[in-house]
Amino acid sequence: ADTDKLQFFFADAQANGITFLPPDINTGLVRFTPVDGQTIRYGLGAIKGTGESALSVIIAARQTAPFADLFDFCRRIDRRVVNRRVIEALIRAGAFDSLDAQRAKLLASVSRALEAAEQAERNAHQGGLFDLPDSAPTVETHYVDVPVWSERERLLNEKQALGFFLSGHPFTA
C-alpha cells in the first residue's frame, strides 16, 4: 500500500539525517516540501481522507492571512468541499498543532466551529436596513473543554490519520 511506501521513505530519510516537520495547516502544501537541505515539511496530501480539492480550497483560503484558530479556519473555508471528516483528519495528523497543540480539544470542538461558521454566514446574509447591529443570534465560539490526550492517544490518532507514527511511538511513550 501507499502507506507502506511512505513509511519506508520516511524511515530511510530519517536514517540519512533528514528531519520531518509535521503537517501544518498554515504552511503545508499538498506534497512534501523541502524547507532546507536537511528538513522536509510533511505533505497535507499524505493525510488520509483529505483529498486534493479540499486541500486546494484550504491553501487558497489562507492566501490572505494565516488561520488564527479552528473557528477562523471554519469561517474562511468552503465547507461544502472541506467537510468535518477532512477537518478531523487534519487535527488527528497534527496539522493544527501550530495553532493549538491540544488535539483532543480541537477534535471535540469541530461541530461547534462549523456551527459558528454557518451562523456567521446566515447572519451576514440576513442584515436588513432597520436591523440593530447586535440583534443577530450568537453561537458559542470557544473550545469544548475536554481532557488532554495522553501521549499514547495522541500517537494512535496520528497513526489513524497518517498510517504510521510520525512524532513518536507508543512503546517509547
Side-chain angles (χ1 to χ4, degrees):
D2 286 346
T3 302
D4 294 337
K5 289 179 191 169
L6 186 57
Q7 192 169 3
F8 176 79
F9 162 73
F10 176 73
D12 187 53
Q14 276 193 316
N16 286 294
I18 301 292
T19 303
F20 281 84
L21 298 176
D24 189 310
I25 203 68
N26 276 326
T27 60
L29 299 174
V30 174
R31 302 197 188 301
F32 286 75
T33 314
V35 175
D36 59 40
Q38 294 297 304
T39 314
I40 297 173
R41 169 71 65 193
Y42 200 90
L44 296 172
I47 299 170
K48 293 179 175 189
T50 52
E52 216 160 321
S53 57
L55 295 175
S56 297
V57 164
I58 292 167
I59 291 167
R62 74 176 188 214
Q63 294 305 312
T64 50
F67 298 113
D69 57 27
L70 179 63
F71 291 91
D72 178 47
F73 175 85
C74 289
R75 268 192 309 274
R76 290 170 47 198
I77 49 117
D78 182 342
R79 292 177 307 281
R80 294 165 302 182
V81 182
V82 184
N83 60 27
R84 170 193 305 273
R85 187 178 48 91
V86 171
I87 298 167
E88 289 176 350
L90 289 165
I91 292 169
R92 282 190 172 96
F96 280 86
D97 284 6
S98 64
L99 304 179
D100 193 315
Q102 290 190 38
R103 297 180 192 176
K105 176 179 76 175
L106 291 170
L107 202 58
S109 302
V110 171
S111 291
R112 188 176 283 179
L114 288 169
E115 286 168 23
E118 286 167 21
Q119 185 65 51
E121 198 172 281
R122 280 194 301 274
N123 293 349
H125 296 312
Q126 289 178 352
L129 184 59
F130 300 107
D131 286 352
L132 296 171
D134 295 329
S135 65
T138 57
V139 73
E140 293 186 81
T141 56
H142 60 274
Y143 292 106
V144 176
D145 189 24
V146 295
V148 175
W149 281 340
S150 67
E151 181 71 2
R152 179 175 168 73
E153 282 176 294
R154 188 182 66 75
L155 288 167
L156 291 173
N157 274 279
E158 189 175 283
K159 184 175 194 275
Q160 181 182 342
L162 301 176
F164 66 99
F165 302 108
L166 175 67
S167 64
H169 198 283
F171 295 139
T172 58

